[in-house]
Amino acid sequence: MLAGSLSILQTANDSLLEPAIRIVSQLHDACTQSLAQSPVYRELSVPTGPQVDIGPDGTVKYSEVPRPDEPSFAAFVEHIRQPMAQGVPPHIHLKKRYESDNMSYSAELSTVYYEGLSEIC
């Protein structure tokens, strides 16, 4: 689509279109180069947590507010990765099903999960 737009702009032979031609050409080159690379996603949002306020008249107001000790997604991931107590898995973890159909905490799968979260930070 950009290649078609670029060829139409170039055939117009109008000096006023030169800035547009330059921008479309740069955008086309950037898109072509990015197709040769793996996709990249970065989580840049600020982690939030729930806050419920009850007014004097009994009205309930729910909102999401920034987490005080987690200024970034990376800090949030590091916080939830930590176990709540010695010998206890983290609050958010993965389990593995064994032949007996019992499921139990899998440190290996949980590590893969947290490494994936850390990569997008």
Side-chain angles (χ1 to χ4, degrees):
M1 188 166 141
L2 284 174
S5 299
L6 187 57
S7 70
I8 291 169
L9 288 171
Q10 289 172 334
T11 58
N13 203 16
D14 186 347
S15 62
L16 292 175
L17 293 176
E18 287 178 17
I21 292 171
R22 190 171 45 254
I23 290 170
V24 171
S25 178
Q26 290 171 351
L27 182 59
H28 180 265
D29 292 344
C31 289
T32 301
Q33 291 173 0
S34 71
L35 288 174
Q37 300 172 358
S38 297
V40 175
Y41 174 81
R42 296 282 179 237
E43 179 59 57
L44 301 175
S45 64
V46 175
T48 59
Q51 179 176 323
V52 178
D53 293 317
I54 301 175
D57 61 349
T59 58
V60 177
K61 179 184 172 196
Y62 175 85
S63 59
E64 291 283 330
V65 297
R67 293 178 178 264
D69 297 330
E70 298 165 355
S72 67
F73 190 69
F76 172 72
V77 170
E78 189 56 37
H79 179 242
I80 64 171
R81 177 182 220 157
Q82 302 303 318
M84 302 183 75
Q86 187 71 6
V88 176
H91 183 66
I92 298 175
H93 59 272
L94 298 178
K95 292 185 174 188
K96 182 176 182 178
R97 184 179 304 276
Y98 293 95
E99 291 179 19
S100 63
D101 271 349
N102 290 335
M103 295 183 75
S104 63
Y105 168 65
S106 170
E108 179 184 357
L109 292 176
S110 296
T111 298
V112 170
Y113 171 73
Y114 282 115
E115 286 174 359
L117 286 178
S118 296
E119 283 180 20
I120 65 173
C121 294

PDB file of all heavy atoms in Angstrom, residues 23-41:
ATOM      1  N   ILE A  23       8.561  11.595   3.376  1.00  0.00           N
ATOM      2  CA  ILE A  23       8.005  10.939   4.569  1.00  0.00           C
ATOM      3  C   ILE A  23       7.476   9.547   4.230  1.00  0.00           C
ATOM      4  O   ILE A  23       7.753   8.577   4.944  1.00  0.00           O
ATOM      5  CB  ILE A  23       6.896  11.813   5.200  1.00  0.00           C
ATOM      6  CG1 ILE A  23       7.512  13.065   5.819  1.00  0.00           C
ATOM      7  CG2 ILE A  23       6.116  11.028   6.254  1.00  0.00           C
ATOM      8  CD1 ILE A  23       6.505  14.105   6.250  1.00  0.00           C
ATOM      9  N   VAL A  24       6.734   9.423   3.144  1.00  0.00           N
ATOM     10  CA  VAL A  24       6.186   8.118   2.752  1.00  0.00           C
ATOM     11  C   VAL A  24       7.324   7.164   2.407  1.00  0.00           C
ATOM     12  O   VAL A  24       7.282   5.975   2.757  1.00  0.00           O
ATOM     13  CB  VAL A  24       5.181   8.269   1.586  1.00  0.00           C
ATOM     14  CG1 VAL A  24       4.781   6.917   1.023  1.00  0.00           C
ATOM     15  CG2 VAL A  24       3.949   9.036   2.041  1.00  0.00           C
ATOM     16  N   SER A  25       8.364   7.673   1.762  1.00  0.00           N
ATOM     17  CA  SER A  25       9.519   6.838   1.416  1.00  0.00           C
ATOM     18  C   SER A  25      10.228   6.333   2.676  1.00  0.00           C
ATOM     19  O   SER A  25      10.582   5.155   2.768  1.00  0.00           O
ATOM     20  CB  SER A  25      10.489   7.625   0.539  1.00  0.00           C
ATOM     21  OG  SER A  25      11.609   6.856   0.236  1.00  0.00           O
ATOM     22  N   GLN A  26      10.417   7.213   3.657  1.00  0.00           N
ATOM     23  CA  GLN A  26      11.053   6.808   4.923  1.00  0.00           C
ATOM     24  C   GLN A  26      10.193   5.789   5.661  1.00  0.00           C
ATOM     25  O   GLN A  26      10.705   4.802   6.210  1.00  0.00           O
ATOM     26  CB  GLN A  26      11.294   8.025   5.808  1.00  0.00           C
ATOM     27  CG  GLN A  26      12.365   8.947   5.294  1.00  0.00           C
ATOM     28  CD  GLN A  26      12.429  10.252   6.085  1.00  0.00           C
ATOM     29  OE1 GLN A  26      11.561  10.535   6.911  1.00  0.00           O
ATOM     30  NE2 GLN A  26      13.451  11.048   5.816  1.00  0.00           N
ATOM     31  N   LEU A  27       8.893   6.009   5.668  1.00  0.00           N
ATOM     32  CA  LEU A  27       7.983   5.082   6.331  1.00  0.00           C
ATOM     33  C   LEU A  27       7.996   3.723   5.637  1.00  0.00           C
ATOM     34  O   LEU A  27       8.033   2.676   6.292  1.00  0.00           O
ATOM     35  CB  LEU A  27       6.569   5.661   6.364  1.00  0.00           C
ATOM     36  CG  LEU A  27       5.494   4.841   7.059  1.00  0.00           C
ATOM     37  CD1 LEU A  27       5.860   4.598   8.514  1.00  0.00           C
ATOM     38  CD2 LEU A  27       4.153   5.543   6.973  1.00  0.00           C
ATOM     39  N   HIS A  28       8.013   3.738   4.310  1.00  0.00           N
ATOM     40  CA  HIS A  28       8.069   2.494   3.541  1.00  0.00           C
ATOM     41  C   HIS A  28       9.350   1.727   3.843  1.00  0.00           C
ATOM     42  O   HIS A  28       9.334   0.511   4.063  1.00  0.00           O
ATOM     43  CB  HIS A  28       7.962   2.793   2.039  1.00  0.00           C
ATOM     44  CG  HIS A  28       8.005   1.570   1.186  1.00  0.00           C
ATOM     45  ND1 HIS A  28       9.175   1.116   0.625  1.00  0.00           N
ATOM     46  CD2 HIS A  28       7.038   0.696   0.824  1.00  0.00           C
ATOM     47  CE1 HIS A  28       8.927   0.021  -0.064  1.00  0.00           C
ATOM     48  NE2 HIS A  28       7.630  -0.254   0.049  1.00  0.00           N
ATOM     49  N   ASP A  29      10.491   2.438   3.885  1.00  0.00           N
ATOM     50  CA  ASP A  29      11.773   1.790   4.200  1.00  0.00           C
ATOM     51  C   ASP A  29      11.765   1.195   5.604  1.00  0.00           C
ATOM     52  O   ASP A  29      12.237   0.074   5.816  1.00  0.00           O
ATOM     53  CB  ASP A  29      12.931   2.785   4.052  1.00  0.00           C
ATOM     54  CG  ASP A  29      13.156   3.205   2.604  1.00  0.00           C
ATOM     55  OD1 ASP A  29      12.634   2.525   1.695  1.00  0.00           O
ATOM     56  OD2 ASP A  29      13.849   4.228   2.386  1.00  0.00           O
ATOM     57  N   ALA A  30      11.224   1.944   6.574  1.00  0.00           N
ATOM     58  CA  ALA A  30      11.175   1.460   7.962  1.00  0.00           C
ATOM     59  C   ALA A  30      10.294   0.215   8.075  1.00  0.00           C
ATOM     60  O   ALA A  30      10.651  -0.747   8.764  1.00  0.00           O
ATOM     61  CB  ALA A  30      10.665   2.561   8.893  1.00  0.00           C
ATOM     62  N   CYS A  31       9.168   0.216   7.372  1.00  0.00           N
ATOM     63  CA  CYS A  31       8.273  -0.948   7.415  1.00  0.00           C
ATOM     64  C   CYS A  31       8.922  -2.157   6.757  1.00  0.00           C
ATOM     65  O   CYS A  31       8.812  -3.279   7.259  1.00  0.00           O
ATOM     66  CB  CYS A  31       6.948  -0.619   6.733  1.00  0.00           C
ATOM     67  SG  CYS A  31       5.919   0.533   7.656  1.00  0.00           S
ATOM     68  N   THR A  32       9.602  -1.941   5.647  1.00  0.00           N
ATOM     69  CA  THR A  32      10.273  -3.034   4.945  1.00  0.00           C
ATOM     70  C   THR A  32      11.362  -3.649   5.830  1.00  0.00           C
ATOM     71  O   THR A  32      11.487  -4.876   5.913  1.00  0.00           O
ATOM     72  CB  THR A  32      10.890  -2.526   3.623  1.00  0.00           C
ATOM     73  OG1 THR A  32       9.844  -1.979   2.820  1.00  0.00           O
ATOM     74  CG2 THR A  32      11.557  -3.650   2.861  1.00  0.00           C
ATOM     75  N   GLN A  33      12.131  -2.804   6.518  1.00  0.00           N
ATOM     76  CA  GLN A  33      13.186  -3.305   7.415  1.00  0.00           C
ATOM     77  C   GLN A  33      12.595  -4.060   8.597  1.00  0.00           C
ATOM     78  O   GLN A  33      13.134  -5.078   9.033  1.00  0.00           O
ATOM     79  CB  GLN A  33      14.055  -2.156   7.920  1.00  0.00           C
ATOM     80  CG  GLN A  33      14.919  -1.538   6.847  1.00  0.00           C
ATOM     81  CD  GLN A  33      15.636  -0.295   7.340  1.00  0.00           C
ATOM     82  OE1 GLN A  33      15.486   0.104   8.493  1.00  0.00           O
ATOM     83  NE2 GLN A  33      16.388   0.331   6.462  1.00  0.00           N
ATOM     84  N   SER A  34      11.485  -3.593   9.126  1.00  0.00           N
ATOM     85  CA  SER A  34      10.904  -4.238  10.311  1.00  0.00           C
ATOM     86  C   SER A  34      10.328  -5.611   9.992  1.00  0.00           C
ATOM     87  O   SER A  34      10.208  -6.454  10.882  1.00  0.00           O
ATOM     88  CB  SER A  34       9.843  -3.349  10.949  1.00  0.00           C
ATOM     89  OG  SER A  34       8.690  -3.294  10.144  1.00  0.00           O
ATOM     90  N   LEU A  35       9.966  -5.851   8.738  1.00  0.00           N
ATOM     91  CA  LEU A  35       9.430  -7.156   8.365  1.00  0.00           C
ATOM     92  C   LEU A  35      10.466  -8.262   8.503  1.00  0.00           C
ATOM     93  O   LEU A  35      10.119  -9.431   8.662  1.00  0.00           O
ATOM     94  CB  LEU A  35       8.904  -7.122   6.924  1.00  0.00           C
ATOM     95  CG  LEU A  35       7.613  -6.336   6.725  1.00  0.00           C
ATOM     96  CD1 LEU A  35       7.277  -6.254   5.237  1.00  0.00           C
ATOM     97  CD2 LEU A  35       6.463  -6.958   7.492  1.00  0.00           C
ATOM     98  N   ALA A  36      11.746  -7.902   8.480  1.00  0.00           N
ATOM     99  CA  ALA A  36      12.822  -8.892   8.587  1.00  0.00           C
ATOM    100  C   ALA A  36      13.176  -9.192  10.048  1.00  0.00           C
ATOM    101  O   ALA A  36      14.049 -10.007  10.306  1.00  0.00           O
ATOM    102  CB  ALA A  36      14.050  -8.390   7.839  1.00  0.00           C
ATOM    103  N   GLN A  37      12.524  -8.540  10.980  1.00  0.00           N
ATOM    104  CA  GLN A  37      12.840  -8.721  12.393  1.00  0.00           C
ATOM    105  C   GLN A  37      11.684  -9.374  13.121  1.00  0.00           C
ATOM    106  O   GLN A  37      10.541  -9.312  12.686  1.00  0.00           O
ATOM    107  CB  GLN A  37      13.156  -7.364  13.031  1.00  0.00           C
ATOM    108  CG  GLN A  37      14.322  -6.653  12.391  1.00  0.00           C
ATOM    109  CD  GLN A  37      14.461  -5.240  12.939  1.00  0.00           C
ATOM    110  OE1 GLN A  37      13.677  -4.796  13.756  1.00  0.00           O
ATOM    111  NE2 GLN A  37      15.481  -4.539  12.477  1.00  0.00           N
ATOM    112  N   SER A  38      11.997  -9.969  14.256  1.00  0.00           N
ATOM    113  CA  SER A  38      10.957 -10.545  15.108  1.00  0.00           C
ATOM    114  C   SER A  38      10.141  -9.421  15.742  1.00  0.00           C
ATOM    115  O   SER A  38      10.668  -8.340  15.996  1.00  0.00           O
ATOM    116  CB  SER A  38      11.592 -11.387  16.212  1.00  0.00           C
ATOM    117  OG  SER A  38      12.295 -12.460  15.661  1.00  0.00           O
ATOM    118  N   PRO A  39       8.851  -9.680  16.020  1.00  0.00           N
ATOM    119  CA  PRO A  39       8.042  -8.645  16.662  1.00  0.00           C
ATOM    120  C   PRO A  39       8.523  -8.369  18.085  1.00  0.00           C
ATOM    121  O   PRO A  39       9.061  -9.249  18.756  1.00  0.00           O
ATOM    122  CB  PRO A  39       6.634  -9.239  16.667  1.00  0.00           C
ATOM    123  CG  PRO A  39       6.802 -10.689  16.425  1.00  0.00           C
ATOM    124  CD  PRO A  39       8.108 -10.885  15.734  1.00  0.00           C
ATOM    125  N   VAL A  40       8.345  -7.149  18.515  1.00  0.00           N
ATOM    126  CA  VAL A  40       8.769  -6.729  19.849  1.00  0.00           C
ATOM    127  C   VAL A  40       7.587  -6.048  20.528  1.00  0.00           C
ATOM    128  O   VAL A  40       6.914  -5.221  19.930  1.00  0.00           O
ATOM    129  CB  VAL A  40       9.957  -5.746  19.771  1.00  0.00           C
ATOM    130  CG1 VAL A  40      10.322  -5.223  21.143  1.00  0.00           C
ATOM    131  CG2 VAL A  40      11.156  -6.401  19.127  1.00  0.00           C
ATOM    132  N   TYR A  41       7.355  -6.436  21.782  1.00  0.00           N
ATOM    133  CA  TYR A  41       6.314  -5.794  22.575  1.00  0.00           C
ATOM    134  C   TYR A  41       6.937  -5.364  23.891  1.00  0.00           C
ATOM    135  O   TYR A  41       7.665  -6.120  24.519  1.00  0.00           O
ATOM    136  CB  TYR A  41       5.151  -6.764  22.842  1.00  0.00           C
ATOM    137  CG  TYR A  41       4.123  -6.180  23.768  1.00  0.00           C
ATOM    138  CD1 TYR A  41       3.159  -5.304  23.299  1.00  0.00           C
ATOM    139  CD2 TYR A  41       4.130  -6.484  25.121  1.00  0.00           C
ATOM    140  CE1 TYR A  41       2.219  -4.747  24.147  1.00  0.00           C
ATOM    141  CE2 TYR A  41       3.194  -5.929  25.983  1.00  0.00           C
ATOM    142  CZ  TYR A  41       2.238  -5.073  25.492  1.00  0.00           C
ATOM    143  OH  TYR A  41       1.322  -4.517  26.337  1.00  0.00           O
TER     144      TYR A  41
END
